[in-house]
Amino acid sequence: MNQRNAEKLKYELLETWNTFNHYMTEALTFQNSEDIHQARVHLRKLLTFMQLYDTKPSTYRQLKQLMEALGAVRDGDVLLEGFAVETELDQAFVEHVETQRSKDRTLLKARVTEKMTPSLDQQVRRFIGGQLFRAFRKQDAAVFLDKAKADRKRRIATHHAATKRNDRLDTLHKVRLAVKRERYLNEYLLNYEPSASKDQVQKLKRLQTELGDMNDRHQLLLRWTDFTPPAALTDDYKEVVQKLHTRLDESVDAIKL
């Protein structure tokens, strides 16, 4: 990548970091769940570029911990926003999820207070303007696209080799993350690298949506299995959990990789 394009990409990524900081600040008010979502998306994009390196930057672990805390809150938001309360069991389950989401929000606030320091900000900016900028200036960005594609294919092969249910769910989760990384790299490099492809972005986006729907079903099942129902509703609870297992198995089997 030439000097000019490397500079442009550097500033684009610095803007991504600035945008993450904006949404992270807004997210802590918990007034709009979209702020949590946008904070996660922008942080995931930055982590994508850090994951290009076998030796991760020192900030990687801290940002991953922020991502995990954001993810827990986001999962609760998505579940509650799409959940229709129709029965006494549903109401008890919603109350359980709301209690857990409150704990997850408290943890997120603590993580932000602990991790998002001026020092972290400086480290991220130095990585983008230093190590990452030099890497793109010195070599063809196609190398990074090839690495992301190879990682996706490797994870797909691992999934096809899995036979146990839990192993298949775990491998599909890793495929979903690999798809996101490859998609984001293609999107960022469209203006700088000829091998980056709009068609590939669309293909990966469709696959990401399909895998995301499966993941939402999995997260819903995990929330239900973590919930202890009132004794009088145990039979209804077992029926709900069995249906969720069936739907999840169907969605896993339907995914074409």
Side-chain angles (χ1 to χ4, degrees):
M1 183 182 293
N2 62 42
Q3 174 86 13
R4 182 179 179 184
N5 284 344
E7 287 277 1
K8 287 181 179 179
L9 182 57
K10 177 183 75 174
Y11 286 116
E12 193 172 343
L13 288 165
L14 286 171
E15 185 57 32
T16 298
W17 173 242
N18 291 336
T19 304
F20 161 72
N21 277 276
H22 164 74
Y23 279 114
M24 191 69 260
T25 300
E26 294 298 316
L28 292 182
T29 68
F30 302 113
Q31 298 300 308
N32 186 347
S33 63
E34 183 64 16
D35 295 327
I36 292 283
H37 174 61
Q38 289 299 328
R40 287 190 75 228
V41 167
H42 286 82
L43 184 53
R44 174 68 67 192
K45 290 176 179 179
L46 290 168
L47 288 171
T48 290
F49 283 90
M50 291 185 175
Q51 288 169 316
L52 296 172
Y53 296 88
D54 294 327
T55 302
K56 305 293 189 298
S58 59
T59 54
Y60 180 79
R61 183 176 59 84
Q62 298 178 70
L63 295 180
K64 279 282 289 182
Q65 290 174 340
L66 284 172
M67 175 63 81
E68 290 165 2
L70 282 164
V73 176
R74 176 61 179 169
D75 287 342
D77 288 344
V78 170
L79 194 158
L80 290 170
E81 288 170 2
F83 194 86
V85 175
E86 298 177 351
T87 67
E88 183 181 352
L89 178 62
D90 289 342
Q91 183 59 45
F93 174 66
V94 164
E95 291 171 2
H96 163 76
V97 174
E98 288 176 337
T99 298
Q100 184 59 52
R101 183 175 65 168
S102 179
K103 295 177 182 178
D104 291 334
R105 286 176 170 179
T106 299
L107 176 60
L108 176 59
K109 285 184 176 181
R111 283 279 170 84
V112 169
T113 300
E114 176 189 2
K115 303 297 181 184
M116 292 193 66
T117 62
S119 175
L120 177 68
D121 181 68
Q122 292 172 8
Q123 290 175 50
V124 171
R125 293 181 186 280
R126 281 199 298 267
F127 166 73
I128 294 172
Q131 184 178 359
L132 187 60
F133 172 67
R134 289 192 296 271
F136 279 113
R137 189 179 58 186
K138 289 179 179 178
Q139 67 184 60
D140 192 337
V143 172
F144 295 122
L145 291 171
D146 290 341
K147 181 178 180 180
K149 184 176 182 179
D151 181 56
R152 172 175 56 87
K153 289 186 174 182
R154 177 176 60 82
R155 294 189 182 280
I156 288 174
T158 301
H159 170 67
H160 287 321
T163 55
K164 295 181 180 179
R165 182 176 184 274
N166 286 341
D167 290 342
R168 295 184 74 200
L169 288 169
D170 180 62
T171 54
L172 277 178
H173 172 68
K174 292 176 180 177
V175 169
R176 186 170 65 89
L177 296 180
V179 166
K180 283 185 179 183
R181 288 194 289 270
E182 187 181 355
R183 172 196 163 188
Y184 291 150
L185 281 175
N186 272 273
E187 287 178 338
Y188 272 93
L189 295 173
L190 279 174
N191 295 325
Y192 313 117
E193 171 53 50
S195 62
S197 165
K198 287 184 179 180
D199 289 341
Q200 185 71 351
V201 169
Q202 292 305 315
K203 171 186 172 183
L204 293 168
K205 191 179 292 187
R206 287 193 294 271
L207 182 55
Q208 182 182 332
T209 298
E210 189 175 352
L211 289 165
D213 290 342
M214 182 277 300
N215 184 66
D216 288 345
R217 289 187 176 188
H218 187 203
Q219 291 301 318
L220 179 60
L221 175 58
L222 290 175
R223 295 277 182 159
W224 272 97
T225 54
D226 187 50
F227 165 58
T228 301
L233 302 174
T234 299
D235 289 343
D236 292 340
Y237 170 77
K238 290 180 180 178
E239 183 178 346
V240 168
V241 170
Q242 182 57 50
K243 286 181 179 178
L244 291 174
H245 273 293
T246 300
R247 290 172 185 169
L248 179 58
D249 288 341
E250 290 172 350
S251 65
V252 169
D253 291 338
I255 290 175
K256 306 297 182 184
L257 299 173

